Amino acid sequence: MEPIRILQVVPAMNTGGMETFIMNLYRAMDREKVQFDFLYHYDMPCFYDEEILRLGGRITKLTVRQDNNLPKYLHQLNEFFARHTEYRVIHGHYSGFGMFYNAAAKKNGITVRAGHSHNTNYEHNLVGWLDRAMSFFFTYGLTDRFACGQEAGKALFRGKPFRFLPNGVDAAAFGPDEAQRAAVRRQLGVPEDAPLYGHIGRFCQQKNHGYLLDIFEQILKRQPRARLVLLGEGETLEAIKAKAAPLGDRVIFAGVQGNTGAYYRAMDAFLLPSLFEGLPVVLVEAQAAGLPCFVSDTVDRTVNFGGHMTFLPLGRPEAWAEAVCAAPLARAGDALERTRNAGYDIRTTAAWLQKFYQTAYAGAPARE
């Protein structure tokens, strides 16, 4: 029998927490039974395109986020859903445009329309405010609702019931490997006796990289040999590079990396001073790696399952530096067990969602 095909509706599949989670699910699914296809809102090459195609997925790319042509987008949606009668279930991860694609899906006979909340807030710019306004209507077109955390679900679904779906990871992929740790640190030019602090995230307003550099500058006053490695790309990257220039080789820009586990192993602690978050995949990964984590108090505290997380208010970089430098930079020895016991192993999440997809698909009317 052919696998059922589930349409994942996304902005695009570049690196980011939401995209990483979707790919973690995709890899863990029994793809002989459930296959993922993707509907993008950008027509551009993306980081995960090649892997999606290799795993058997199909990708359709629309252009609405580039040309802002809403009539064209609405026509494309209706044409797409009318043509692709194999879809009985869609899973929307893009709340801003959900009122459009959910309506088109419903009009064309798709009776199961799941929506997923991955965040608690929006960036404070024009695009963010528009996304917030448009996302207000997302919940009304849904038959099922999922959220990465309680706060994310409350923020997007506003009183409607939802299911908490943990941002699972392949926990075993973040276990200790001293040889790899040493190799990555050599590659990055980090001295053996220098503490290496790390951050993984898209360069954007939300992730607060400028404040992270302020924190690190204060750390250097206390630990002159310290290094900071930043993984990711995004619209604020060049501005952050310019701000980091006076710190020289103490700040390392490592770009986008496929094997993030190797970089977590190289780190001694993980820093995340975000302005807002849902329940970040990177914090699940960092805890699976056993790292001490220093996190802004804007983040949902239920993410702390590893017992090695310190929440700090934004505002005083020196307070962050004091907390970081005072903490023992020792890895948790029971990180894998804690991650699995907390329900954050991707196999648990994928098994539940696969059953949901299969049951929903079987109960939905066939489309012709």
Side-chain angles (χ1 to χ4, degrees), residues 7 9 81 87-92 101-102 105 110 112-114:
L7 184 68
V9 186
F81 286 120
Y87 300 128
R88 301 185 197 178
V89 179
I90 68 171
H91 191 159
Y101 62 74
N102 280 329
I110 297 176
V112 182
R113 301 174 301 278

Side-chain angles (χ1 to χ4, degrees), residues 210-229:
Y211 186 76
L212 177 54
L213 290 180
D214 293 339
I215 295 168
F216 184 62
E217 192 169 2
Q218 293 295 321
I219 289 174
L220 285 174
K221 293 178 180 179
R222 297 159 175 82
Q223 296 177 344
R225 292 177 63 76
R227 300 291 191 276
L228 174 67
V229 61

Side-chain angles (χ1 to χ4, degrees), residues 16-18 20-21 24 116-121 147-153 155 162 164-169 206-207 272 274 276-287 295 298-306 309 311 339 342-344 349:
M18 175 184 73
T20 298
F21 171 63
N24 286 342
H116 209 127
S117 178
H118 294 273
N119 224 323
T120 59
N121 212 325
C148 67
Q150 294 300 321
E151 296 306 314
F162 62 89
F164 166 52
L165 200 61
N167 278 348
V169 302
Q206 173 191 354
K207 301 300 181 182
L272 190 76
S274 298
F276 57 89
E277 291 281 357
L279 201 150
V281 174
V282 290
L283 285 183
V284 179
E285 294 174 340
Q287 290 180 95
V295 183
T298 59
V299 176
D300 189 336
R301 291 179 184 242
T302 60
V303 72
N304 183 16
F305 60 82
M309 189 171 296
F311 292 92
T339 304
Y344 283 96
T349 309

Side-chain angles (χ1 to χ4, degrees), residues 47-358:
F47 182 82
Y48 286 118
D49 285 0
E50 185 178 332
E51 184 179 2
I52 289 169
L53 296 174
R54 188 170 67 248
L55 293 177
R58 304 166 184 164
I59 302 171
T60 300
K61 300 183 180 184
L62 305 182
T63 60
V64 65
R65 283 305 308 272
Q66 292 150 296
D67 57 26
N68 297 313
N69 189 330
L70 188 57
K72 174 185 173 183
Y73 172 62
L74 296 176
H75 174 76
Q76 288 175 326
L77 285 174
N78 278 301
E79 187 179 61
F80 174 84
F81 286 120
R83 184 170 67 251
H84 289 281
T85 57
E86 67 271 27
Y87 300 128
R88 301 185 197 178
V89 179
I90 68 171
H91 191 159
H93 304 270
Y94 193 11
S95 60
F97 280 74
M99 63 178 174
F100 302 119
Y101 62 74
N102 280 329
K106 182 178 181 179
K107 176 183 175 182
N108 284 277
I110 297 176
T111 58
V112 182
R113 301 174 301 278
H116 209 127
S117 178
H118 294 273
N119 224 323
T120 59
N121 212 325
Y122 304 87
E123 294 196 354
H124 299 298
N125 53 34
L126 178 59
V127 172
W129 287 112
L130 285 172
D131 200 22
R132 179 196 293 271
M134 293 166 68
S135 293
F136 180 86
F137 301 96
F138 183 49
T139 189
Y140 301 111
L142 301 174
T143 58
D144 300 271
R145 298 168 186 84
F146 305 124
C148 67
Q150 294 300 321
E151 296 306 314
K154 292 174 185 176
L156 184 60
F157 300 131
R158 300 183 315 282
K160 298 284 187 179
F162 62 89
R163 180 185 175 90
F164 166 52
L165 200 61
N167 278 348
V169 302
D170 181 3
F174 298 93
D177 184 331
E178 288 303 318
Q180 188 178 67
R181 170 182 167 84
V184 173
R185 287 171 70 93
R186 283 195 302 270
Q187 173 192 327
L188 296 175
V190 178
E192 289 185 15
D193 61 343
L196 177 63
Y197 301 105
H199 174 92
I200 300 177
R202 186 167 65 91
F203 282 82
C204 61
Q205 181 190 73
Q206 173 191 354
K207 301 300 181 182
N208 210 9
H209 285 89
Y211 186 76
L212 177 54
L213 290 180
D214 293 339
I215 295 168
F216 184 62
E217 192 169 2
Q218 293 295 321
I219 289 174
L220 285 174
K221 293 178 180 179
R222 297 159 175 82
Q223 296 177 344
R225 292 177 63 76
R227 300 291 191 276
L228 174 67
V229 61
L230 304 174
L231 278 72
E233 60 183 12
E235 59 268 25
T236 64
L237 176 58
E238 293 308 314
I240 297 302
K241 282 185 174 180
K243 180 169 181 174
L247 301 179
D249 63 1
R250 297 294 194 273
V251 180
I252 305 160
F253 292 88
V256 174
Q257 300 293 334
N259 182 15
T260 56
Y263 288 83
Y264 285 113
R265 293 184 183 103
M267 297 174 194
D268 294 299
F270 190 82
L271 309 182
L272 190 76
S274 298
L275 297 176
F276 57 89
E277 291 281 357
L279 201 150
V281 174
V282 290
L283 285 183
V284 179
E285 294 174 340
Q287 290 180 95
L291 287 171
C293 299
F294 299 87
V295 183
S296 58
D297 61 5
T298 59
V299 176
D300 189 336
R301 291 179 184 242
T302 60
V303 72
N304 183 16
F305 60 82
H308 294 270
M309 189 171 296
T310 302
F311 292 92
L312 296 159
L314 298 172
R316 291 184 61 242
E318 59 272 21
W320 281 66
E322 289 166 6
V324 170
C325 295
L329 301 182
R331 290 173 179 269
D334 58 351
L336 177 59
E337 181 182 3
R338 281 177 176 263
T339 304
R340 287 176 171 166
N341 288 344
Y344 283 96
D345 191 286
I346 191 61
R347 283 174 284 274
T348 303
T349 309
W352 186 90
L353 192 59
Q354 179 172 313
K355 184 176 180 180
F356 167 82
Y357 286 148
Q358 290 175 299

